[in-house]
Amino acid sequence: GFTIQAIHFFLSGRDKIELKKEEIEEFRIMYGLSVKHTPLNPLDVTEGLQVKNATSILDIVFHLLYYYALNNLKLVKCEHCGRWFVTNTFKKKYCSRNSTFDGYTHLKCEQAVRNISQELQREKKRIYNNMTTYKDSSNPDVYSFLDECAFRHGEIKKRATVENLKAYFDFLKRTKEGES
């Protein structure tokens, strides 16, 4: 309902958010929140804040955002799984959760991207070697295959999303099945 819409509105259209106290305060006023928070240690806000009179999940979300803003933390959408995480730098592209990519769910997102990319390169090489072993290497099929691989690899370089990786795997699978 209202809570989900408010959170979605706050996050929508962004992949990275540098939280500012002013923006968080606007969020509080916009949604009529009256939550109060006081530092556990008035001399060091990094030790945490105590929430008073929270009555909804939206109050808690506001409290978290406020805490992040006070501590110069950032919200970033993982470039692989698309889930949000908190970090102190925008240089971090991947969260520390396990990947959502089938067959790689035992790996953290960053490691999964590395392993999946290596497997894609190996599969591409197997298909290419098979194409050039049985056909003339100047065959237009080889060139169109390499062009499509370069395009899909470029998309993964831009954003190694589960969707982009899966699209490349599916292309290679279709190509391989078409050769047999």
Side-chain angles (χ1 to χ4, degrees):
F2 173 73
T3 301
I4 299 300
Q5 284 177 321
I7 296 165
H8 179 72
F9 178 76
F10 183 78
L11 298 173
S12 70
R14 306 197 268 185
D15 291 335
K16 297 177 180 184
I17 302 173
E18 184 162 2
L19 299 162
K20 301 282 186 221
K21 283 188 287 186
E22 299 78 25
E23 183 181 19
I24 305 307
E25 192 57 22
E26 285 174 19
F27 179 85
R28 183 188 68 75
I29 293 166
M30 182 186 308
Y31 292 102
L33 304 176
S34 59
V35 65
K36 306 272 188 259
H37 36 252
T38 55
L40 293 175
N41 177 350
L43 301 175
D44 186 3
V45 292
T46 63
E47 288 185 22
L49 298 172
Q50 182 179 9
V51 182
K52 295 184 179 171
N53 70 317
T55 59
S56 70
I57 193 72
L58 198 55
D59 288 338
I60 302 302
V61 168
F62 164 74
H63 171 72
L64 286 170
L65 294 174
Y66 187 81
Y67 176 79
Y68 298 156
L70 279 178
N71 290 286
N72 297 315
L73 296 170
K74 290 127 180 67
L75 286 177
V76 176
K77 190 185 260 190
C78 178
E79 286 194 15
H80 177 60
C81 70
R83 296 175 288 195
W84 287 93
F85 66 99
V86 177
T87 181
N88 55 4
T89 176
F90 283 136
K91 291 179 184 174
K92 192 163 183 188
K93 296 176 9 174
Y94 304 107
C95 70
S96 59
R97 297 184 195 100
N98 284 11
S99 172
T100 56
F101 195 96
D102 285 343
Y104 295 84
T105 55
H106 62 290
L107 297 173
K108 304 290 180 213
C109 285
E110 186 171 8
Q111 186 62 52
V113 168
R114 255 190 256 122
N115 289 21
I116 295 165
S117 295
Q118 289 169 352
E119 181 56 34
L120 286 166
Q121 286 304 104
R122 285 191 291 268
E123 187 62 18
K124 171 192 162 192
K125 187 173 179 163
R126 282 192 286 268
I127 293 170
Y128 174 78
N129 287 343
N130 193 30
M131 288 176 107
T132 57
T133 301
Y134 299 110
K135 298 178 184 172
D136 177 6
S137 63
S138 64
N139 183 318
D141 290 348
V142 174
Y143 293 122
S144 72
F145 170 74
L146 292 175
D147 285 347
E148 185 67 18
C149 287
F151 168 75
R152 293 186 183 277
H153 181 74
E155 291 298 298
I156 289 168
K157 282 298 220 192
K158 282 187 233 166
R159 292 189 61 96
T161 62
V162 169
E163 295 77 20
N164 285 345
L165 292 161
K166 185 169 179 354
Y168 195 0
F169 259 120
D170 292 346
F171 164 72
L172 291 174
K173 183 179 177 192
R174 286 190 312 273
T175 302
K176 188 174 184 178
E177 288 170 355
E179 289 178 2
S180 309

